[in-house]
Amino acid sequence: MGVAIGQSLPIAVGVLVSPLPIVAVVLMLVSARARANALAFVVGWFLAVLVLVGVVALLAGTAAPDDDGPATWTGWLKIVLGVLLLFLSMRQWRGRPRGGAEPPAPKWMAAIEQFTPVKSAGLAVLLGAVNPKNLLLVVSGGAAIAATQPADTTTTVVAALVFAVVASAGVVTPVVIYFSMGPRAAQVLDELKTWMIHNNAAIMAVLLLVIGAKMLGDGISVL
């Protein structure tokens, strides 16, 4: 179990610091339905990540042979995921704002003020399990879990839970700030939102580069 958690934990940290989901929570916390929308987003995010990483890990574990080492195909899967992550990293880096230019904000940010809790949870699912960057990260986490203990369902489920909890810490942090800092929270959250929007591309480029290199190295070591 420790190996499964340890292999997937760095990827969960990558999901944790993804800027746009954190920005989404911050925007919800300054909207009219702050508490309901933010809590719905956090729950939706956690469940989306948990279900996706768990399904990938269980399916990959079922397909892998029950022997003393990981199946060769898991190595190829990690290599493919690593290459895709490196490709996305390159695209993010090339698309980063330069010379102090403001990056274009996603259209959904302007609509958050009118969101209901259901829409907030739906956005969480889209950002956590459908958005290509997070999708690849979470799938990589499931593959990492499956490659360690493919036949142990209990280990897979516990590792998936730990992954989802760690991956959700980023979107939980603004909620903790909101409830713990009172009137001062608005300024802190606004500064956090501004910084993350401006540095989103650079942050994701570095994360995808590090995790992509890790997945590529892990895949090569299996072959």
Side-chain angles (χ1 to χ4, degrees):
M1 184 178 298
V3 176
I5 294 173
Q7 287 293 313
S8 62
L9 198 57
I11 304 172
V13 173
V15 180
L16 180 163
V17 296
S18 297
L20 287 185
I22 298 174
V23 170
V25 176
V26 171
L27 291 173
M28 289 174 187
L29 288 170
V30 296
S31 68
R33 300 176 178 176
R35 298 187 179 189
N37 285 353
L39 291 176
F41 185 95
V42 169
V43 172
W45 173 272
F46 173 78
L47 292 177
V49 172
L50 175 61
V51 170
L52 180 58
V53 75
V55 168
V56 171
L58 288 171
L59 290 178
T62 301
D66 186 13
D67 53 25
D68 294 331
T72 302
W73 73 266
T74 62
W76 285 112
L77 175 60
K78 287 185 174 183
I79 289 173
V80 171
L81 291 171
V83 170
L84 289 173
L85 288 169
L86 292 174
F87 172 73
L88 283 178
S89 172
M90 181 178 65
R91 286 193 60 185
Q92 288 289 123
W93 184 254
R94 287 182 174 178
R96 74 191 188 282
R98 294 174 174 84
E102 287 297 320
K107 293 181 180 179
W108 53 261
M109 287 186 182
I112 282 183
E113 181 65 36
Q114 286 75 43
F115 270 25
T116 63
V118 173
K119 287 185 177 180
S120 300
L123 178 62
V125 173
L126 290 175
L127 291 178
V130 180
N131 177 276
K133 293 184 287 293
N134 272 2
L135 174 63
L136 278 176
L137 288 174
V138 178
V139 169
S140 297
I145 293 171
T148 55
Q149 293 285 346
D152 189 339
T153 302
T154 301
T155 295
T156 299
V157 171
V158 173
L161 279 168
V162 173
F163 183 96
V165 169
V166 174
S168 300
V171 296
V172 170
T173 299
V175 179
V176 173
I177 292 173
Y178 177 85
F179 283 106
S180 63
M181 296 190 66
R184 294 181 299 163
Q187 180 180 352
V188 174
L189 291 174
D190 184 65
E191 291 174 355
L192 176 65
K193 176 199 70 177
T194 302
W195 186 85
M196 287 202 139
I197 289 176
H198 186 76
N199 294 282
N200 171 57
I203 294 171
M204 288 306 301
V206 173
L207 285 175
L208 294 169
L209 174 64
V210 172
I211 296 174
K214 176 186 182 301
M215 292 298 291
L216 192 59
D218 288 348
I220 293 173
S221 68
V222 172
L223 302 180

